[in-house]
Amino acid sequence: MGRIVVISTGGTIASRWQGSGFAADADGREVMATAPLPEDITVEVVDLFSVNSPRLTTAHQLTLLRTVHEVLADPDVDGVVVTHGTDTLEESAFLVDLHHHDPRTVVFTGAQRPMGTADGDGPANLYDALLTAANTRGLGVLISFAGRVHAARGTVKTQAVALDAFADPSKELLGKIGFGKVTMLRTPLRPEPLPLPAMPELPPRVDMVMHHADGDPVLLNAAVAAGARGIVLIGTGAGNATPEIVAAVKEAIGRGVLVALTTRVPAGPVTEIYTHGGAVDLVAAGAVPTGTLRAGQARIAVLSALLAAADPAEQARVLARALGTQDAALVQA
């Protein structure tokens, strides 16, 4: 079926007991040794790094992005699997998807239970990811976990410890895996991919600020004062806050800060319904609504926009493109 390259980055799938808790310390070859290979698949391993995914930095993620592109520069490669910690998998997968212009599939997977445990889920997840990478095309970046296939865009970690850890709360399941077969149920919609960004000496700071009862602009203003070039405002409901936060957003945008608006509600789109500090006013102030993308992926979209352009107006246009909110931006993969 094909030649698959596995890029190992750590996470629970590569974790062992450290005396007081689990941490990633196994290399990719050790991880691969735990899993059976689907028939007619050959595997090569790239040991990129081995860290717990909460410790990932923008530099780690951009290195992963460039490594995927370097691997796919070889026409004899049929697909890529990335083993990754589940805590920030949704962010890294979405970053790669934003810049993925190749018909060959990149599949992210990981585990909720450490390697070597009797009930570990890593081997089965890795087998399924290899099968998916070898048998799908033109779908962008996917997440394979617990016998299910998800599009990178919109998929988030929905369970802290349960094995079926990922879902897109706003969309139906993309595909499923069973009895050695991958069945796709629909085709995901993806915007045109962004160009591969340069590796900056110092990545731009992008912060997230959540609104809540009694919320005020203190943390948003602090992010601007700390040098944030981008901010994701996590509103309530369909993307709402207060008039005071609207004023702070308008001031931040006036200073060249790129602001995206999402919501803390698990499912459904940011929608301009309410004024008096709601999404109507926030969008009018210049915040870019993120549709159904939630905070972690909205932050990645802002980061990609900042890396793509220097002019604030162009950054906002790139962000809209990354979010799929430009006219005719969404195309079938």
Side-chain angles (χ1 to χ4, degrees):
M1 285 191 286
R3 174 184 166 210
I4 308 299
V5 175
V6 175
I7 302 174
S8 177
T9 70
T12 299
I13 197 169
S15 290
R16 290 186 282 232
W17 184 250
Q18 305 295 315
S20 59
F22 291 94
D25 73 352
D27 63 29
R29 288 165 182 78
E30 291 178 280
V31 173
M32 276 304 311
T34 68
L37 293 183
E39 188 177 357
D40 297 327
I41 285 180
T42 61
V43 170
E44 298 171 20
V45 177
V46 174
D47 273 307
L48 197 56
F49 36 78
S50 186
V51 297
N52 292 356
S53 69
R55 295 177 55 202
L56 286 186
T57 64
T58 297
H60 281 121
Q61 292 174 318
L62 290 175
T63 298
L64 171 59
L65 171 63
R66 298 190 76 84
T67 302
V68 169
H69 279 245
E70 290 165 4
V71 166
L72 290 174
D74 183 347
D76 293 329
V77 171
D78 294 296
V80 175
V81 168
V82 179
T83 57
H84 196 290
T86 58
D87 283 4
T88 56
L89 185 152
E90 66 201 57
E91 298 172 41
S92 298
F94 183 55
L95 175 66
V96 177
D97 189 59
L98 279 176
H99 300 273
H100 187 60
H101 55 75
D102 195 289
R104 290 169 291 179
T105 304
V106 177
V107 183
F108 278 68
T109 196
Q112 289 284 75
R113 293 175 181 164
M115 68 182 300
T117 55
D119 57 354
D121 56 328
N125 285 344
L126 186 48
Y127 177 94
D128 286 351
L130 292 167
L131 196 67
T132 303
N135 287 281
T136 58
R137 288 291 184 274
L139 300 176
V141 177
L142 305 177
I143 295 170
S144 173
F145 222 90
R148 297 172 180 262
V149 182
H150 311 278
R153 173 178 293 267
T155 296
V156 296
K157 188 173 183 180
T158 57
Q159 295 286 340
V161 294
L163 298 188
D164 191 4
F166 289 91
D168 181 342
S170 298
K171 289 186 174 64
E172 296 178 354
L173 182 65
L174 183 67
K176 55 187 178 180
I177 307 164
F179 301 99
K181 182 180 179 181
V182 181
T183 303
M184 303 309 297
L185 305 175
R186 61 182 178 87
T187 299
L189 296 178
R190 303 173 61 231
E192 291 290 338
L194 300 176
L196 188 67
M199 284 289 287
E201 186 174 334
L202 183 64
R205 179 179 181 125
V206 182
D207 289 324
M208 299 191 292
V209 178
M210 180 181 286
H211 183 54
H212 50 82
D214 282 337
D216 60 29
V218 169
L219 294 179
L220 193 149
N221 291 336
V224 175
R229 290 179 53 200
I231 293 174
V232 176
L233 175 61
I234 308 166
T236 57
N240 305 309
T242 67
E244 293 77 16
I245 290 179
V246 171
V249 165
K250 187 172 183 178
E251 181 178 352
I253 292 170
R255 296 175 62 174
V257 179
L258 184 59
V259 179
L261 174 63
T262 186
T263 171
R264 69 187 200 184
V265 179
V270 171
T271 308
E272 296 170 65
I273 302 172
Y274 298 103
T275 183
H276 289 186
V280 170
D281 301 331
L282 288 163
V283 173
V288 181
T290 63
T292 59
L293 289 189
R294 292 317 187 243
Q297 293 192 340
R299 181 184 172 277
I300 291 297
V302 170
L303 173 68
S304 291
L306 292 172
L307 292 172
D311 175 66
E314 179 60 22
Q315 290 169 352
R317 283 191 288 271
V318 174
L319 177 57
R321 174 180 167 185
L323 296 170
T325 54
Q326 275 186 338
D327 291 343
L330 280 179
V331 296
Q332 286 211 336

